[in-house]
Amino acid sequence: MAVCVGIIGKDNSPKFFTCLNPAEELNFQYKVLSALDVVEEKLNCGSKGATDLRELYLGMLYTLETHKIYGYVTNTKIKFIIVVDSTNMALRDNEIRSMFRKIHSEYADIVCNPFYIPGEPICSKSFTGSIKNIMTGTV
Amino acid sequence: MAQCKQSPQEFIKNVFTPQVAIMCTPIAEKSCQKNNLDFIELLQPFSRLNNDVHYKDPLGANNTIHSLKITFLDINWRPPQTPLARKLLNSSVSNAPECRNKIFQIGEHILDIPSGTPWFESWRDTFMRVQYPSDHEFTKHFLACILVVSSSDNNPVETVEKLAQSLNQLHSREPGKLPKWFSSNILKYYVIVHDNIEGDMTLAVKTFDSMKISYGTTSCFLLKINSRSPNPESSEHLPDPWSQFINSQMDMKECKTSVDNNSMRTSLEIGQEAEEVRNVSNYHPLSPVSEDSTLTDYVNDEDKLSKIPMKPKTHGACLSTDDVEQVKLLVYEFAKSRLLPYIEKQILMLNDVVSNKKGVSKSLFSATKRWFSPNKPGASSVAVNNLIYSPDSPELQIRRLGDLYFMFGHYSLAFQAYHLAKRDYNTDQAWLYYAGALEMAALAAFMANESSRKTFDYMEESITTYLNTCKMPQFATRATILSSECLKCQAMYGEAAHQLIRMTSEESDLRSALLLEQASYCFLQSKMARKYAFHMVLSGHRFAKSGQRKHSLRCYKQAYQIYENTGWDLASDHIHYTIGRQANNLQHFDEAVDSFVKLLKGESKQTPLQQALFLKEYLTILGSKLKTESEADQVQNPILPVPELDVNSLMLLVGPTRPLSTPGKVSALGITFNSAADQSAETKWMKLEEMLVQEAEGGQPSVFKPIVTLHTANKLGKSKPVAIINEPIQIFLNLFNTLQTLLHLKDIYLLWTFNTGTDIVSNEVMDSKKDEYIKTYITKAVAIEGASKQELILSLTPLMTGHMTINGFCYTLTGSNAAMETSFIKGKQLILVPESTAKNVQNSVDNENKKVVIEVDVVPPAPCLQVVFSEIHHDFLANELQKVSVDFCNTSSVPLRNILMATSVPHLLSNCEFKCDTDHSGTHDLSTPAAREKYVRKNHLTSVPLPGNVLEPGQTIPIHIWIRAPNVKGPTSIDLLIYYENVVKTSIPRYRLVRHSWNLMVQESISVDVSTQASHNSKIVEELALALKITNLNKVQNSVLTEVMLLNVGLLSKHWTLTKDMVTPKYINLHSQQSAHILLKARRAVKDQSEYSSIPLSRDKKSIQIHTNAYLAFARKAEKPPLTMFDDFDTFSFKPNKDGLLLLQWQALAIEGNKKRIVNGQTQIPVEINRKEEDVIQMEHILSDPIIDISDKVISEEEAAQIAQKQVSYNLVYHSVVEHNFEEKKMCIVPVKILLHSIVDRNVLSVVVNTTEPSVKPPTIRKSNLFYTNASSNFCWLGNTKILRTLHPLTTDTVHLAVVVTGPGTFDLGAHIQVSCKKVDQAESYILQSCQIHSTLIVMNVAI
C-alpha cells in the first residue's frame, strides 16, 4: 500500500498529487520534489548508456528512514512517483511496477479525455478515485 | 551568474601573501598620523609591487614575480577574538554593497539575479583575515620585520636598538605565542621616518648614515615625508589611494575598540593547535550559541555607527607627490634588495635540508608504524593531532619550503614539496599537517595549471580530514572556499556545489547561508534551475536564522522566480509567507503586503487555521504599514485582497426608494436585482414599455430605447447610468471569500468622487462637507463564511446634480472570529467594470483587461410616482375575482401627468371600476397588422384618469382594479407596468415606469359542462335547452377545502336570452367533488350587441349585485378576440362566438386550516349548440371513417352538404291529443302551426314547406317496425302542398297548416313535412333540411 502518489509534468511542475493523509501533504511534496533530482540523474545516465528505452520503471529512487520512493518516467517525460512506507514489506518490486503500469494507463485515459488540457493540473474526481484505489491496492 | 571580482588565481594569490611585521616607535607613528594614517596604512596602497622582481630557485633558474603583494601587519596585530570575529563577519555581509541585477536565462525561466555576490567576497576576505596562524602551515607567519623609527626620536640609533631588542624578546618567548615567525632568523629592515617640515634634515641624514654602517646599506631606508603643510585646498588635486583601503579597515577598528580589553589579555595565544581546537569547538566565531544576542548588539552598534556621521577624513594631506614616490620606493627597495635575497637564501637552505633528509632513512619507529597502522585518516580518529612536530623538524622544513615556493609564485616546485610533505605526514599520522599539505598541494597544482582529477581528490581528502579527523571546521571551510573556486574555474559545478553544501552545518547559520547560496549559483550554472531554487530557499532560511534579513529576502525572491506558477503551491506559499515576513521586518511594507496578498488570493491548499494565521499576519503588517504611512501623511486606504469581488455579477440600480410598508398595503414591486436574471420577463417588460411609449407619443418612435434602471456589469461598460437627485443608487456586489476562515467586514460603504462642474469632492478623504453632496449609506457588518459567497447591496443618494464616479467600496476587515481580535484594517477594493465599446469588438482579446470605473450622471429631480396596492391573498381559485385598490401618489417635488397602465395579460385584469368600456362595437377589423397592433394595444393599455390630467406633488389618486385568476391550475403572474410622464417634455428622463406583478398560485375551483339542444317545443321563437353540470373540483385531500355556492347563472349573447321560467332551489351548495345539474332555457332574441341575461341561483341577491360590473367586464373581455401582443398576428384567426357565453358566478368558502376566506368567482363557458341528431347511422358513419384528413382545409363536400342541410330548423305546434267524435263528424281537422327557425345569421332564406302525399315519400329507414310510414288513408294535409316563405336571418316564421284525419289513431306529422330552403337571391336548388321531427298526433274517437 503506497502512501503517496505524485504525477510530475515535463516541466517538473506537479500535475497531480495525492496522499493517504492529507495533513502530511507538505512533507510528501518535499520528498517528491527531492526525488526529482534522482530522476533527472537517472535519466541523464540512461541517455548516455542508451539502455532499453522501453523500460520506463526507474526502480527505487532513494530511501529515507520512514519512506521508500520509487519512480517511473513515461516516454514523454511525465514522472510518476510512488512513496511507500519503509515498514511495508509486502510491496515488492513487481508490485510497484504493476502499480506504476496501472497509473500509467489511468494517466493515458485522462490524457485521452477531450476535456483535459494536457499540461494542466489534473482535478478529475474519478481519476483521483482510481489512483486512490491503486494506492490502497483495491484494484 | 554571480561572478567574483577576482579570478580564482588572484584570489588564491591574495590569500597566501608574504606577511611582514612592522614595529613602529610612537613618534614615527605620530608623524604619520598627520596624514590621518598610521604607518601600515601609509604603506598599504603600495603593497603590491608594480615592477617585477626576480629571485633564483635552487636549480639556478631565474624566477620572475609579477606584481608581488606583501601584507604588512603590526607586530602586535592579533586575529580578533571570537565575538569580535563574529561581528566582523556579520557586518562584512550586511555592509557589503548591493549588486546590480542582471538577467539570466535558463530553460524557459528568465531570472533576475545579482551579477555578483560582493557580500560573499567580503565575508570570504574577512574570514581569511580573522584566522589564527596555525603551526601546521607557514603562510600566515611573518617572514620579516620592518623596524620604524622617527628622525625626531631622541636618539634614533638607540631607539632602533631598543626595538630590535624587543623584537628578539618577542621571538624568544615560548614558541606557541603570537606573533609567529617563519624562521628563527628574522629578516629585519630599518626605516627612519623623517618629517620634512618639522624634522632636522641633517640629524636625519646623520642617523641614517650611522644605521647604514651598523645594519648594512640595503637594510636601511630614510623615508622623507610630510614635505607639504596640511593645506586643504592643495590637497584636492592629489588622488587619495588610501581611502578604499581605510574604509574596509575602519569598521574593524571601530569594533576593536568596542570590544572590552580583558579579551585582549588572552590574546597572547598560549595554546597550540590543541588550544585552537578547544576554541573552535567551544566558541567558534560562527557558532550559533548566543549568536542572536550578539546579533542584536551588533544591530544596535550598527545603528549607532550609522547615526554618527563619519568625519570625512582626507588622507595624505601632508604628502607631496615626492613623498608618495618615496613610500613606493621604500616598499620596492625592501622587496627587491632585502626580502627576495632573503627568500632566495631561505629556499636554498631549506632545499638543502630537504634533499639531505631524503637520503636519511626514516626512524625505525616511523617505519614500523607505517607497516602496522592503518594508513587512512579517520580510521584511527581517536589518536588525532597528538603528533606535534618541533618547529624546526625536517618534516616541517619541507612544508616551509613549499609555502615559500607557493607564496613567491613557483607553484610546480611548491606542489612537489607539498606532495613530499604530505607523504611524510600521512606516514606519521599527523593528520592536521597532512590535511594542510593536501590542501596546499591541490592549490599549487591548480595554480600551476596542472590540476587533475587526482589533485581535486587531494582537496576532497583535505577537507574531510580537516572536518572529520581534526575537527577543525574553520580550516575545512577555508579549504572549501578555495576548492570551490578552483572547481568552478574548471567548470566542475556539481562538485563545487557538493563541497559547499557539505560545509553547511548547524554551527554557523551565516556560513551555511553563504555557502548554500554559492552552491545554488553552481546549480544554476549547470542548468539545474529547480535545485538552484531549492537551495536558494535553504540559503534564505539560514540567512533569516542568522539575522541577515536583507539577504534572506533576496534569496527567497530569487527562488520565487523559479517557483512562480509551477504548481508547487505549498512551496510557493512558504516563499510568499517568508518574503512577507522578512520584508515586514525590513520595513519594506509594500513588498510584504504584496506577497501576503498573493498568499490570500485564490484557492489554497492551506488549512483554515493556517489561513487564519496568514490573514492575521497580513492585517498586522498592513496595520504597521499604514502607521508608517500615516506618519508620513499619506492617508490612503489600502486595497484589500479579500474577499474577492465578482465584477461580472455586479449590478447597479437607480430608482426611487420603496415606501415604508403599511399593513394591508403593498407597494409596487418595482425593479429589483433579481429581475435581471429573468431574461424572458425582461423582454416582456420591454415590449410593454414600447407599447406604452407608442401610445403616449402617438406615433411610432423611430428607435425605441427602453429606459434602463438596472445596469449589469457589462452594460455599465457601454452606457452611463442616469440617476435622479434624491433618489438612491444601489449597487449589488457579490463577494466571494476564497479563504476557509470567516471574514468579518464592517462599515461597508461606497467610495465616490463627485464632480459638480466647479469642484470635485470625494469621500475617500474624511471631510465633513461630503454629506452635502452625496449621502452614503454604511452597512454595519457582514460576516462571510469560509469558501462562500455573500451578496451585498450598498447605496448612495446624490443630493446635488453633477457627475459622479463610483470608485470602489471601503470596509474594515477583521480577521478571525476571536472576540479579542484587535487587528482590523480599513481598506478598500476598486470596482472596475470591463469596458466594452462597439468599436473594439474585434480586438476584444486585447481589451480584456481594460477596466473602467462606474460613472453616473445625476440629473435634476424628476417626478416619482409611488404606487401602493391593497394586499391580496396570493392563493387563488381558478376564475376567482378580486378587487384591488391602487393608490397613485406623487412623492416627488415635480408634477406628473399621463399615467398609463399596461399588462401582458389583459384578460386577467379589468379597469371597469374607473372606466366603462365604451367600445362595444364588437367588430374588429383585424385584417391588417397595423390595425391589429392598434387593437392589441388598446387591449393591453388603459389610462388612469387624473384631475386636470396632472398629478401634483403630494397628491394621491385611488383607483380600483379587478384581477382574475386564469382557468388553469398552477402558478401564474399578472404584470402591471405603469407609465407616467414629466410635465416638462424636454426633461430627462422624459417618462418613468413602475413595475408590479402579482404572482398567483391558482387552485382548482369548479368545472362546468354545458350541453345544448334545440328545443322542439318553441311556441313563439326558437328556444334552446341548456344542461349544466357543475362540479366542485376541490379534492378532499387538498390543503384548501372549498365549498362553492352557486350564485347566478347568466348568458351573454347576441342571439339568446335566458328565460326566467326555471325552478331553482334556495341555494346550491357544492362540497368537494359534488356536482349539480341545472337545466336552463334560452330564447332567441336577436340584438345588435350581446346582452346579458341572468337567473339567480341563490336567494341572496345582494352578493351578486355588487360584482355584476366586474363580472360583466370580464365576460366582455372574454367575448372579444383574445389577441395579445405576444401572439403571432399573422397566423391568428379568431372565430367570434355565435351563441354567446354562459357565465356562472359563484361564491366559495375556502378553508385552509383555521383560515376561512370567502371568494367570489365567475366561470365562463362558451355556448355551442349541438344540432346534430344523435343518429345511429351518423355514429356508424363516424366510426367507419376514422381517418380524418387534417391537411384538407376546405370543408369537404359532405360537410358542406351537412351545413346546407342545417339552415332551417322547425317545429310543429299543435294539440298533441285531439278528441273527436267520428260518429258525429267523419272528418277531423287539426290545425297545425309550423314554426320555421332560421339558424343562419347572414342570409335571407326562402323556405319551401312541402306537405307531400304519404305515398310520394320515399321509403326511409325505419327505426322500428312499430308503425307504418305509409300513412293510412286516414291522414291528409289540408290546403296547398307547397308553401313558400322568406325567412330573415335568425327569425322565426309561422306557417299555418291543417291536417285532416278521418279516423282515430296516432299519426307522425313530421314524416309528412319536408322543408327545403335556399338563399333568397341565388339560383340554386332548394336543399332539403335534415331536421327530422317525429311529432305524434293522437286522435281519439270520443263517443258521446
Side-chain angles (χ1 to χ4, degrees), chain B residues 132-153:
Chain B
Y132 279 95
S134 165
D135 270 357
H136 77 281
E137 56 180 17
F138 301 95
T139 48
K140 295 280 171 193
H141 292 197
F142 290 121
L143 275 173
C145 183
I146 297 177
L147 305 169
V148 185
V149 289
S150 171
S151 59
S152 319
D153 273 318

Side-chain angles (χ1 to χ4, degrees), chain B residues 549-568:
Chain B
R549 286 168 182 153
K550 191 176 70 182
H551 291 293
S552 170
L553 179 61
R554 186 182 46 75
C555 287
Y556 272 106
K557 273 155 87 179
Q558 276 171 240
Y560 179 64
Q561 293 172 352
I562 298 279
Y563 276 104
E564 200 175 9
N565 300 328
T566 49
W568 295 100

Side-chain angles (χ1 to χ4, degrees), chain B residues 694-743:
Chain B
Q694 277 181 27
E695 179 74 15
E697 307 258 306
Q700 178 108 18
S702 52
V703 180
F704 166 70
K705 247 192 180 172
I707 283 194
V708 184
T709 48
L710 180 66
H711 303 261
T712 53
N714 40 13
K715 272 189 206 157
L716 279 171
K718 284 177 214 151
S719 60
K720 205 190 263 186
V722 174
I724 290 153
I725 201 164
N726 290 336
E727 286 184 12
I729 302 165
Q730 291 179 303
I731 287 195
F732 173 88
L733 302 170
N734 214 339
L735 299 179
F736 185 47
N737 181 4
T738 49
L739 300 180
Q740 285 157 40
T741 55
L742 188 74
L743 282 180

Side-chain angles (χ1 to χ4, degrees), chain A residues 12-14 30 33 36-37 40, chain B residues 530-531 534 566-568 605:
Chain A
N12 284 337
S13 62
Y30 177 76
L33 181 73
L36 291 180
D37 288 335
E40 220 153 74
Chain B
R530 202 163 29 77
K531 268 193 135 154
F534 184 72
T566 49
W568 295 100
K605 280 182 186 163

